[in-house]
Amino acid sequence: MGEWYHYALLIGVGFVVGFINTVAGGGSLLTLPVLIFLGLPPAIANGTNRVAVVVQTALATAGFKSKGVSTYPFNAYLGVAAFLGAIIGAYIAVDIKGETFNRILAAIMLVVVLIIIFKPDVRISDFEEKLSGKPFYIAIIAFFFFGIYGGFINAGLGFIIILFLHYVNHMTLVRANATKVAVVFIYTLSALAVFVLNDKVNWKIGLILAIGNGSGAWVASRFSVKRGDGFIKGFLVVMVVAMSIKLWFFN
C-alpha cells in the first residue's frame, strides 16, 4: 500500500463489489484476490474484507429503507440465527483457495443459475409472503447454517440467500435483497469480532476498501428498487455465470 494507485484500486474495486454484492452476490470472489495481491495473507484478507462488508451492508440497508423497503422484524430474527452461526464459521475459517474447492463452488453456482432460469416465478398475486409458521422456522434453521458459511468465507452466499427467500418465503427479489443485506450486516458483526480477536484485520486497508463498498452499496440499493425484479433477475444470472467461469478456469 505504498503507492497512491493502491488506494484508488481499493476504492474502485470496492465500489464495483459493493454494487455486485447488494444486487446479487459473489463480490468477495473479486475482493479477496485483490487484497492478497496487495500483500495480505489469506486469513487477514478474509478478516479485512469483513470491515468493508459491514459498512457496505449498513449503507445498503439504509438505502433500501430510504425507498420504503424493509422486512423488519423478520430480517432481525434471521440475522440473529445467522449471527450465531457466523461465530462458528469464523472460528473454523481456513485457507480454502484450493482448486478442488473452487470447482465445487463453481458447480454450486451453476446449479443456482439453472434454478434462476428454469424455476417458475413466484407470483405475488397468487401467493402471500410466508414470514410465519413452518416457513419461518425453516428459514431460521437455514440461516443458522448460512451464517456458518458466511462466517467462514462468505463468497457467493448472497445468491443462495436471495433464491431461498424468493422461493421459500415468497418474497419479491427486491424485498429478498433488502432482507439479505440486513442479515449479512448482522452476522458479519460477529464474524468480524472473531477476526479482530485473533488479530486478523488490517484496519487501514479495510476502511479504505469500505469507502468504495459503501458507495457502491448505496447506489445499488436505491437503483435496484427503482428497476425492480426483472433487473435483479438478469443481474443474478450474469453474475452467477461469471463467477462460475472464474472459479472453474481461473483459480
Side-chain angles (χ1 to χ4, degrees), residues 125-233:
S125 60
D126 300 329
F127 300 99
E128 294 183 358
E129 286 187 348
K130 296 182 176 181
L131 308 184
S132 61
K134 185 177 179 180
F136 171 78
Y137 293 110
I138 291 173
I140 290 293
I141 295 170
F143 273 78
F144 173 77
F145 289 101
F146 291 162
I148 292 176
Y149 178 78
F152 185 54
I153 189 69
N154 199 51
L157 182 58
F159 301 125
I160 307 299
I161 290 178
I162 290 173
L163 294 181
F164 181 93
L165 293 171
H166 186 56
Y167 294 121
V168 175
N169 298 105
H170 289 185
M171 286 185 165
T172 65
L173 292 179
V174 170
R175 283 176 60 79
N177 240 339
T179 304
K180 176 200 72 179
V181 296
V183 171
V184 174
F185 169 72
I186 294 170
Y187 80 63
T188 302
L189 291 175
S190 65
L192 177 60
V194 172
F195 283 107
V196 170
L197 290 173
N198 287 273
D199 198 25
K200 299 295 183 183
V201 173
N202 184 310
W203 285 101
K204 178 181 178 181
I205 293 178
L207 291 171
I208 293 171
L209 181 64
I211 294 173
N213 276 53
S215 301
W218 176 260
V219 171
S221 60
R222 295 169 61 83
F223 183 73
S224 63
V225 172
K226 181 179 179 180
R227 296 297 297 272
D229 278 17
F231 167 75
I232 295 175
K233 183 174 182 178

Side-chain angles (χ1 to χ4, degrees), residues 40-75:
L40 295 184
I44 295 179
N46 194 358
T48 300
N49 183 48
R50 307 311 174 104
V51 178
V53 171
V54 166
V55 174
Q56 162 200 299
T57 50
L59 287 175
T61 300
F64 278 114
K65 191 171 182 179
S66 74
K67 288 292 186 177
V69 182
S70 173
T71 60
Y72 180 83
F74 181 69
N75 56 11

Side-chain angles (χ1 to χ4, degrees), residues 4-156:
W4 67 267
Y5 58 82
H6 289 163
Y7 299 99
L9 173 65
L10 275 179
I11 294 174
V13 169
F15 183 90
V16 172
V17 167
F19 191 98
I20 290 173
N21 276 341
T22 302
V23 178
S28 292
L29 296 172
L30 301 176
T31 307
L32 293 175
V34 170
L35 293 175
I36 292 170
F37 168 76
L38 291 176
L40 295 184
I44 295 179
N46 194 358
T48 300
N49 183 48
R50 307 311 174 104
V51 178
V53 171
V54 166
V55 174
Q56 162 200 299
T57 50
L59 287 175
T61 300
F64 278 114
K65 191 171 182 179
S66 74
K67 288 292 186 177
V69 182
S70 173
T71 60
Y72 180 83
F74 181 69
N75 56 11
Y77 292 130
L78 299 186
V80 170
F83 181 96
L84 298 175
I87 296 173
I88 298 172
Y91 269 115
I92 62 175
V94 294
D95 181 8
I96 55 172
K97 288 178 59 196
E99 180 179 338
T100 301
F101 171 83
N102 281 351
R103 291 193 170 184
I104 291 173
L105 185 55
I108 293 173
M109 292 295 98
L110 287 176
V111 171
V112 171
V113 79
L114 290 175
I115 293 173
I116 294 173
I117 294 172
F118 296 109
K119 178 75 174 179
D121 288 336
V122 173
R123 300 187 183 279
I124 303 304
S125 60
D126 300 329
F127 300 99
E128 294 183 358
E129 286 187 348
K130 296 182 176 181
L131 308 184
S132 61
K134 185 177 179 180
F136 171 78
Y137 293 110
I138 291 173
I140 290 293
I141 295 170
F143 273 78
F144 173 77
F145 289 101
F146 291 162
I148 292 176
Y149 178 78
F152 185 54
I153 189 69
N154 199 51

